[in-house]
């Protein structure tokens, strides 16, 4: 795995959270994007080499809405950049980790992504992402 590409943060409402993170990070949100595969809205901020991804659920029964219901707003996942997502998924499977999807899927920011089940990673939802450029 390579650098941390982004940290995903679950928020209830972009209307309050985008201005809050703009103030906190002293930068502007450079894009918002709907992610069909997860049914969430995402908002991105650059902080050096790493990004912050705010996640807002579009549906009350979506994964982000359920997360907030259980744990409240806060850090949702950590995403690591990988060079070859298929090879990394194979390696992690062989190490006994549980993947939440069998094949890489389309994530935000023009990436191929795969999530690891948090029960095998001390409660941390880990995302692998590979740039599609
Ligand atoms: Zn993410």
């Amino acid at each position: 795995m390579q650098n941390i590409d982004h940290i995903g943060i679950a928020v209830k409402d972009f209307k309050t959270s985008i201005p809050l993170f703009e103030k906190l990070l002293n930068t502007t949100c450079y894009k918002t994007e709907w992610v069909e595969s997860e049914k969430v809205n995402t908002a991105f901020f650059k902080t050096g080499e790493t990004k912050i991804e705010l996640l807002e659920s579009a549906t009350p029964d979506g994964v982000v809405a359920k997360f907030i219901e259980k744990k409240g707003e806060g850090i949702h996942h950590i995403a690591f950049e990988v060079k070859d997502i298929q090879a990394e998924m194979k390696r992690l499977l062989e190490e006994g980790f549980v993947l939440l999807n069998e094949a890489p899927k389309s994530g935000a920011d023009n990436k191929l992504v795969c999530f690891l089940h948090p029960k095998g990673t001390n409660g941390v939802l880990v995302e692998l992402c590979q740039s599609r450029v």
Side-chain angles (χ1 to χ4, degrees):
M1 293 199 204
Q2 317 226 292
N3 58 298
I4 292 177
D5 180 78
H6 65 270
I7 295 176
I9 298 174
V11 303
K12 283 183 185 159
D13 180 9
F14 274 2
K15 268 208 300 286
T16 54
S17 296
I18 288 178
L20 176 79
F21 276 82
E22 286 182 331
K23 251 188 273 175
L24 172 71
L25 304 170
N26 196 23
T27 186
T28 47
C29 169
Y30 69 93
K31 80 165 168 184
T32 56
E33 186 184 342
W34 163 251
V35 183
E36 177 62 31
S37 61
E38 304 289 334
K39 305 270 189 253
V40 290
N41 285 308
T42 59
F44 284 90
F45 305 82
K46 278 200 179 92
T47 51
E49 294 291 301
T50 307
K51 287 163 275 181
I52 297 294
E53 176 191 52
L54 299 185
L55 306 157
E56 179 199 57
S57 187
T59 54
D61 58 343
V63 281
V64 170
K66 281 188 183 147
F67 175 90
I68 291 173
E69 208 174 280
K70 252 198 265 174
K71 300 190 173 174
E73 293 177 295
I75 294 179
H76 179 263
H77 65 269
I78 298 179
F80 294 92
E81 170 112 36
V82 295
K83 275 191 180 144
D84 181 344
I85 196 166
Q86 303 270 11
E88 198 62 18
M89 286 168 72
K90 186 169 172 284
R91 183 186 73 83
L92 291 164
L93 270 178
E94 283 166 4
E95 293 286 2
F97 291 96
V98 179
L99 306 181
L100 289 178
N101 39 299
E102 277 173 27
K105 58 183 180 178
S106 280
D109 216 18
N110 198 30
K111 308 258 193 211
L112 284 172
V113 304
C114 174
F115 288 90
L116 270 69
H117 199 294
K119 79 179 175 197
T121 53
N122 286 168
V124 180
L125 180 59
V126 171
E127 174 186 345
L128 310 176
C129 62
Q130 181 191 333
S131 288
R132 271 206 286 210
V133 230

